[in-house]
Protein backbone atom coordinates (compact mmCIF):
# COMPACT_ATOMS: atom_id res chain seq x y z
CA UNK A 1 0.00 0.00 0.00
CA UNK A 2 1.45 3.35 -1.03
CA UNK A 3 0.91 6.40 1.12
CA UNK A 4 -0.75 8.29 -1.76
CA UNK A 5 -3.67 5.87 -2.17
CA UNK A 6 -7.07 6.52 -0.67
CA UNK A 7 -9.56 4.26 0.99
CA UNK A 8 -12.85 6.09 1.16
CA UNK A 9 -14.55 3.33 3.09
CA UNK A 10 -13.04 0.65 5.29
CA UNK A 11 -15.50 -2.07 6.30
CA UNK A 12 -15.49 -2.84 10.00
CA UNK A 13 -16.68 -6.44 9.79
CA UNK A 14 -14.08 -8.86 11.15
CA UNK A 15 -12.06 -10.27 8.26
CA UNK A 16 -13.63 -7.86 5.73
CA UNK A 17 -11.59 -6.86 2.71
CA UNK A 18 -11.38 -3.43 1.11
CA UNK A 19 -10.09 -2.73 -2.36
CA UNK A 20 -7.74 0.25 -2.37
CA UNK A 21 -7.68 2.96 -4.99
CA UNK A 22 -4.79 3.54 -7.32
CA UNK A 23 -2.81 6.78 -7.28
CA UNK A 24 -4.83 8.28 -10.16
CA UNK A 25 -7.98 6.15 -10.56
CA UNK A 26 -10.76 4.44 -8.69
CA UNK A 27 -11.63 6.91 -5.97
CA UNK A 28 -14.77 5.30 -4.60
CA UNK A 29 -17.40 7.79 -3.51
CA UNK A 30 -20.57 5.77 -3.09
CA UNK A 31 -20.13 4.06 0.28
CA UNK A 32 -21.78 6.71 2.43
CA UNK A 33 -18.91 7.26 4.86
CA UNK A 34 -19.15 11.07 4.50
CA UNK A 35 -15.40 11.61 4.13
CA UNK A 36 -16.25 14.75 2.15
CA UNK A 37 -17.42 16.21 5.47
CA UNK A 38 -13.76 16.73 6.40
CA UNK A 39 -13.72 19.67 3.97
CA UNK A 40 -16.25 21.45 6.23
CA UNK A 41 -14.53 20.93 9.61
CA UNK A 42 -13.09 24.45 9.58
CA UNK A 43 -16.63 25.82 9.96
CA UNK A 44 -17.00 24.18 13.37
CA UNK A 45 -13.72 24.99 15.14
CA UNK A 46 -14.64 28.41 16.57
CA UNK A 47 -18.02 29.95 17.36
CA UNK A 48 -18.30 33.68 17.97
CA UNK A 49 -20.49 34.64 20.94
CA UNK A 50 -21.35 37.91 22.66
CA UNK A 51 -18.79 37.45 25.45
CA UNK A 52 -16.08 35.94 23.21
CA UNK A 53 -15.32 32.65 21.47
CA UNK A 54 -16.13 28.99 21.89
CA UNK A 55 -13.53 26.48 20.69
CA UNK A 56 -15.20 23.18 19.83
CA UNK A 57 -12.69 21.37 17.62
CA UNK A 58 -8.97 20.96 18.14
CA UNK A 59 -7.84 21.31 14.54
CA UNK A 60 -4.76 23.46 13.90
CA UNK A 61 -6.11 26.81 12.73
CA UNK A 62 -6.20 30.57 13.22
CA UNK A 63 -9.26 32.66 14.09
CA UNK A 64 -8.94 36.36 13.28
CA UNK A 65 -11.84 38.80 13.12
CA UNK A 66 -9.65 41.92 13.01
CA UNK A 67 -9.74 42.35 16.78
CA UNK A 68 -9.60 38.94 18.42
CA UNK A 69 -7.02 36.44 17.24
CA UNK A 70 -6.61 32.84 18.42
CA UNK A 71 -3.95 30.47 17.10
CA UNK A 72 -4.43 26.77 17.73
CA UNK A 73 -1.75 24.16 17.12
CA UNK A 74 -1.20 20.56 18.09
CA UNK A 75 2.11 20.16 19.89
CA UNK A 76 4.45 18.48 17.40
CA UNK A 77 6.39 16.71 20.16
CA UNK A 78 3.42 14.52 21.09
CA UNK A 79 3.14 13.55 17.41
CA UNK A 80 6.59 11.96 17.45
CA UNK A 81 6.18 9.95 20.63
CA UNK A 82 5.36 6.29 20.26
CA UNK A 83 1.83 5.97 21.63
CA UNK A 84 1.64 9.10 23.80
CA UNK A 85 -0.89 8.95 26.63
CA UNK A 86 -2.10 12.49 25.95
CA UNK A 87 -2.53 14.98 23.13
CA UNK A 88 -1.19 18.47 23.78
CA UNK A 89 -2.50 21.65 22.17
CA UNK A 90 -1.20 25.22 22.34
CA UNK A 91 -3.73 28.04 22.11
CA UNK A 92 -2.48 31.61 21.78
CA UNK A 93 -5.24 34.21 22.15
CA UNK A 94 -4.78 37.96 21.74
CA UNK A 95 -7.02 40.97 21.27
CA UNK A 96 -7.93 42.20 24.73
CA UNK A 97 -10.60 41.16 27.21
CA UNK A 98 -12.90 38.33 26.14
CA UNK A 99 -14.19 34.96 27.24
CA UNK A 100 -12.67 31.83 25.72
CA UNK A 101 -14.57 28.58 26.22
CA UNK A 102 -12.64 25.39 25.52
CA UNK A 103 -14.61 22.17 24.99
CA UNK A 104 -13.39 19.13 26.87
CA UNK A 105 -13.79 16.14 24.53
CA UNK A 106 -15.88 13.25 25.85
CA UNK A 107 -12.97 10.86 25.29
CA UNK A 108 -10.56 12.82 27.50
CA UNK A 109 -10.11 10.82 30.71
CA UNK A 110 -8.21 13.69 32.33
CA UNK A 111 -7.48 17.27 31.29
CA UNK A 112 -4.59 19.46 32.39
CA UNK A 113 -4.31 23.16 31.51
CA UNK A 114 -1.75 25.88 32.09
CA UNK A 115 -1.43 29.51 31.01
CA UNK A 116 2.16 30.66 30.50
CA UNK A 117 3.38 27.59 32.46
CA UNK A 118 1.08 28.29 35.44
CA UNK A 119 -1.38 25.47 36.20
CA UNK A 120 -5.08 26.37 36.10
CA UNK A 121 -7.58 24.81 38.53
CA UNK A 122 -10.20 22.95 36.50
CA UNK A 123 -12.68 22.30 39.30
CA UNK A 124 -15.20 24.76 37.81
CA UNK A 125 -16.07 23.16 34.46
CA UNK A 126 -19.50 24.12 33.12
CA UNK A 127 -21.40 21.91 30.66
CA UNK A 128 -18.18 20.30 29.42
CA UNK A 129 -16.32 23.58 28.86
CA UNK A 130 -13.38 25.28 30.54
CA UNK A 131 -14.25 28.99 30.73
CA UNK A 132 -11.36 31.44 30.70
CA UNK A 133 -12.12 35.16 30.84
CA UNK A 134 -9.22 37.59 30.92
CA UNK A 135 -7.25 40.14 28.97
CA UNK A 136 -5.49 38.17 26.23
CA UNK A 137 -2.14 39.34 24.91
CA UNK A 138 -0.62 36.26 23.19
CA UNK A 139 -0.51 34.10 26.31
CA UNK A 140 0.29 30.42 25.77
CA UNK A 141 -2.54 28.17 26.90
CA UNK A 142 -1.26 24.60 27.01
CA UNK A 143 -3.96 21.95 27.29
CA UNK A 144 -3.36 18.20 27.61
CA UNK A 145 -6.13 15.69 26.92
CA UNK A 146 -5.31 12.24 28.27
CA UNK A 147 -6.33 9.19 26.22
CA UNK A 148 -7.18 5.58 26.92
CA UNK A 149 -8.10 2.59 24.82
CA UNK A 150 -11.75 1.68 25.27
CA UNK A 151 -14.15 -0.89 23.88
CA UNK A 152 -17.26 0.59 22.23
CA UNK A 153 -20.34 -1.53 21.56
CA UNK A 154 -21.34 -1.26 17.92
CA UNK A 155 -25.01 -0.23 17.49
CA UNK A 156 -27.40 -3.08 16.71
CA UNK A 157 -24.72 -5.73 17.19
CA UNK A 158 -23.06 -7.89 19.80
CA UNK A 159 -19.67 -6.77 18.45
CA UNK A 160 -17.31 -4.16 19.89
CA UNK A 161 -14.89 -1.77 18.26
CA UNK A 162 -11.86 -0.22 19.90
CA UNK A 163 -11.02 3.43 20.17
CA UNK A 164 -8.06 5.35 21.56
CA UNK A 165 -9.24 8.83 22.38
CA UNK A 166 -11.14 9.94 19.27
CA UNK A 167 -9.37 7.49 16.93
CA UNK A 168 -11.09 4.27 15.83
CA UNK A 169 -8.57 1.44 15.90
CA UNK A 170 -8.41 -1.26 13.26
CA UNK A 171 -6.24 -4.29 12.74
CA UNK A 172 -5.48 -5.85 9.39
CA UNK A 173 -6.35 -9.54 9.44
CA UNK A 174 -7.28 -12.09 6.83
CA UNK A 175 -9.84 -13.76 9.05
CA UNK A 176 -12.35 -13.12 11.79
CA UNK A 177 -10.73 -13.02 15.22
CA UNK A 178 -12.19 -13.20 18.70
CA UNK A 179 -10.56 -11.37 21.57
CA UNK A 180 -11.22 -12.04 25.21
CA UNK A 181 -10.75 -9.94 28.30
CA UNK A 182 -12.40 -7.25 30.37
CA UNK A 183 -14.23 -4.55 28.40
CA UNK A 184 -13.52 -2.12 31.22
CA UNK A 185 -9.79 -2.73 30.73
CA UNK A 186 -9.70 -2.71 26.92
CA UNK A 187 -5.99 -1.86 26.75
CA UNK A 188 -5.23 -5.30 28.23
CA UNK A 189 -7.19 -7.24 25.59
Amino acid sequence: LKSTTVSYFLPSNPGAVKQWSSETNSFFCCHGSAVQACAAFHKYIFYKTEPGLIMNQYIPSVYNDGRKRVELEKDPLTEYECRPDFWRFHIRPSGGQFELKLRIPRWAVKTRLSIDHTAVDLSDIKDGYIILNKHWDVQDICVDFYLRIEAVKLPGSNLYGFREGPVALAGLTGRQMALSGSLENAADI
Side-chain angles (χ1 to χ4, degrees):
L1 176 66
K2 294 182 180 179
S3 63
T4 56
T5 61
V6 174
S7 178
Y8 189 80
F9 169 78
L10 186 62
S12 60
N13 295 359
V17 176
K18 169 62 183 166
Q19 298 298 316
W20 298 88
S21 72
S22 70
E23 291 184 31
T24 57
N25 296 311
S26 306
F27 182 78
F28 306 105
C29 64
C30 56
H31 294 290
S33 62
V35 77
Q36 70 277 8
C38 296
F41 284 170
H42 70 282
K43 296 178 183 178
Y44 309 109
I45 299 170
F46 299 101
Y47 288 90
K48 191 172 181 177
T49 65
E50 184 61 38
L53 288 174
I54 298 173
M55 182 182 298
N56 273 323
Q57 300 293 326
Y58 292 88
I59 300 170
S61 55
V62 175
Y63 173 89
N64 189 348
D65 68 3
R67 186 176 151 261
K68 296 180 195 78
R69 179 180 169 86
V70 179
E71 296 177 31
L72 167 63
E73 73 173 353
K74 188 170 183 190
D75 190 309
L77 295 179
T78 57
E79 288 292 306
Y80 295 111
E81 283 188 36
C82 181
R83 298 190 49 81
D85 62 349
F86 64 91
W87 285 359
R88 174 171 286 166
F89 295 89
H90 290 278
I91 304 158
R92 294 179 188 92
S94 60
Q97 182 78 32
F98 63 92
E99 179 182 270
L100 184 59
K101 290 175 74 172
L102 308 176
R103 183 180 64 86
I104 299 176
R106 189 210 59 79
W107 51 261
V109 293
K110 181 173 110 178
T111 301
R112 189 172 59 191
L113 186 135
S114 65
I115 299 176
D116 290 336
H117 306 289
T118 301
V120 173
D121 176 24
L122 298 181
S123 61
D124 191 26
I125 294 171
K126 294 200 182 349
D127 299 322
Y129 287 86
I130 300 166
I131 301 171
L132 305 169
N133 194 338
K134 62 183 293 167
H135 186 275
W136 300 108
D137 188 22
V138 197
Q139 289 91 337
D140 180 40
I141 300 170
C142 179
V143 62
D144 296 337
F145 296 120
Y146 286 79
L147 317 160
R148 76 167 173 250
I149 295 175
E150 58 185 334
V152 180
K153 187 165 178 29
L154 302 177
S157 169
N158 63 350
L159 300 175
Y160 285 79
F162 292 90
R163 179 174 61 205
E164 182 175 36
V167 178
L169 302 177
L172 297 176
T173 67
R175 61 183 174 81
Q176 183 169 345
M177 297 179 67
L179 302 173
S180 61
S182 166
L183 293 174
E184 291 77 29
N185 238 348
D188 295 337
I189 295 179

